[in-house]
Amino acid sequence: MSYVQALVPPEHASNHLLVLPGTTDVAVVRRLAEAWFADVRWLKEPAARSGASQPMTGARFRGMTAAPADPQDVGPGVLGIGADHGAAGPFTGSQDAAAQLGMPEDVRVFALGRVDGMFDRRGGRPASLDDRDGIARAFVAGLPEGEELRLVQWGVAVARKLGGLVLADGRQLLRPDPGGSVDLRLFSAHPIASADLLALLRSVVATAELDAESVGPDGSATFRLVARTPYDGTLTLDAQRVDRVPRALVDIDPAEYGPFAVTVRWVPQDPYELRLEQPSGLHVIARTRMRAMAARLALLTHARTGGVLVDDGAFVATTAEIERRLDDQQSSTRAWV
């Protein structure tokens, strides 16, 4: 595609390009990388652009004090991700190229690929193109393997979270729908009883019921709640004590979360559509309603127990992010029963 050269320098034109809104901070990109990968470090730190003149401050510039540099106005660096790969950037794409991609005028671009200049080995052709992210479609001639595949999957997850896109190999467009992220997990230091969680669930689906419950060797309860609807599918809530938490929580004070996890998951009428890059219109309508319902349940549970929310991209999700899912669904989140 001709606009790729307007996004990154020529030496990165064949990399996987992660195109994000221009307001995206490089520190956010690093934090999201650390949520997936153990070995993340700056091989070359982004530096403030030395050529950019700073506006003067003070009464008629009597003090001749330069205003602080914009922390987002930085030149490209190289973020090492894993043993051999990384993200070079941010690069500032042209407004015309951003417009061709359907992005806002200002974009920040990160080139994902090997940092040693070598080429990754590609595997065989995908057995099926059923994949909600479109990765199999983008690499129909041969799938990436190992660390490169993980890097592409991460780039797509970041694009979904931040409202961006990925150009696989610099040419195959992957534009994940942010509305496709429905499931949530809450990690709390305080358990919630099945009766209390069932009451929260019945506040949005009156016919919700306890599906299974057991007690583990340590005395902690494990249970599943089910809320079935005739048109929009089923919400399941699984509560259990876990031995491991997502990597995204590593840098968070352990006092803010705990081992008690509540997972809110949506199962549509036709689960196969979860595997489609372009599901049917009816699926999308149901997903929009259930996404808001899952968000409301997660917020209600968070208000009861505290803790940290993690989205289905394995990234930490703030309550403000989850509240925006309610704004996306203007009608009532109460399901038909």
Side-chain angles (χ1 to χ4, degrees):
M1 295 182 180
S2 60
Y3 50 72
V4 171
Q5 284 71 29
L7 293 173
V8 293
E11 62 267 27
H12 295 293
S14 61
N15 287 142
H16 312 301
L17 305 185
L18 174 58
V19 183
L20 300 173
T23 55
T24 306
D25 195 302
V26 293
V28 171
V29 175
R30 174 170 181 164
R31 187 165 64 249
L32 295 178
E34 291 171 337
W36 277 49
F37 302 95
D39 187 9
V40 177
R41 72 282 180 204
W42 285 112
L43 301 178
K44 174 187 174 184
E45 290 199 40
R49 298 182 189 276
S50 58
S53 60
Q54 299 298 322
M56 307 306 289
T57 61
R60 296 184 62 82
F61 311 127
R62 287 173 186 160
M64 299 299 291
T65 302
D70 183 350
Q72 293 187 349
D73 187 17
V74 294
V78 179
L79 181 65
I81 299 176
D84 303 310
H85 294 78
F91 301 104
T92 302
S94 73
Q95 293 184 357
D96 288 343
Q100 289 186 59
L101 291 168
M103 291 288 290
E105 290 185 353
D106 297 321
V107 293
R108 309 195 96 178
V109 186
F110 292 83
L112 312 180
R114 292 186 68 102
V115 295
D116 57 7
M118 303 296 288
F119 294 96
D120 282 298
R121 176 183 176 182
R122 294 290 165 84
R125 295 167 61 91
S128 171
L129 299 185
D130 296 337
D131 135 43
R132 76 161 181 166
D133 295 327
I135 293 174
R137 169 185 58 78
F139 297 100
V140 68
L143 281 169
E145 296 182 333
E147 196 172 86
E148 185 193 12
L149 177 59
R150 185 72 170 158
L151 190 65
V152 173
Q153 293 169 334
W154 172 79
V156 173
V158 171
R160 175 177 287 108
K161 185 175 182 68
L162 300 182
L165 55 86
V166 172
L167 289 169
D169 287 340
R171 60 181 185 274
Q172 294 293 338
L173 178 62
L174 299 172
R175 190 191 301 274
D177 183 358
S181 180
V182 177
D183 301 345
L184 293 163
R185 299 187 78 191
L186 172 66
F187 294 87
S188 173
H190 308 288
I192 183 170
S194 57
D196 294 334
L197 190 57
L198 182 58
L200 295 180
L201 182 54
R202 283 179 172 169
S203 69
V204 291
V205 184
T207 57
E209 58 187 3
L210 177 65
D211 186 61
E213 186 169 18
S214 62
V215 178
D218 62 352
S220 63
T222 296
F223 58 88
R224 166 172 286 190
L225 307 180
V226 176
R228 298 180 177 86
T229 73
Y231 306 113
D232 296 337
T234 300
L235 277 183
T236 63
L237 276 69
D238 290 285
Q240 63 183 128
R241 181 173 185 141
V242 297
D243 297 326
R244 301 177 62 185
V245 298
R247 183 178 296 278
L249 303 183
V250 167
D251 292 329
I252 297 178
D253 185 348
E256 296 185 29
Y257 65 90
F260 298 101
V262 175
T263 303
V264 184
R265 183 176 291 109
W266 174 52
V267 182
Q269 295 281 35
D270 183 0
Y272 173 70
E273 293 217 58
L274 291 174
R275 300 166 55 189
L276 299 181
E277 187 178 6
Q278 295 182 333
S280 68
L282 289 176
H283 176 92
V284 173
I285 292 170
R287 187 183 69 190
T288 301
R289 287 196 288 254
M290 298 302 266
R291 184 172 190 259
M293 187 184 298
R296 173 161 297 194
L297 287 167
L299 291 170
L300 289 172
T301 308
H302 180 270
R304 178 70 66 87
T305 67
V308 178
L309 289 161
V310 176
D311 61 26
D312 66 358
F315 301 125
V316 170
T318 65
T319 53
E321 287 180 64
I322 305 304
E323 286 169 354
R324 284 196 289 273
R325 298 188 182 191
L326 301 180
D327 296 335
D328 293 339
Q329 170 63 11
Q330 299 298 326
S331 60
S332 170
T333 58
R334 191 173 182 88
W336 291 98
V337 295

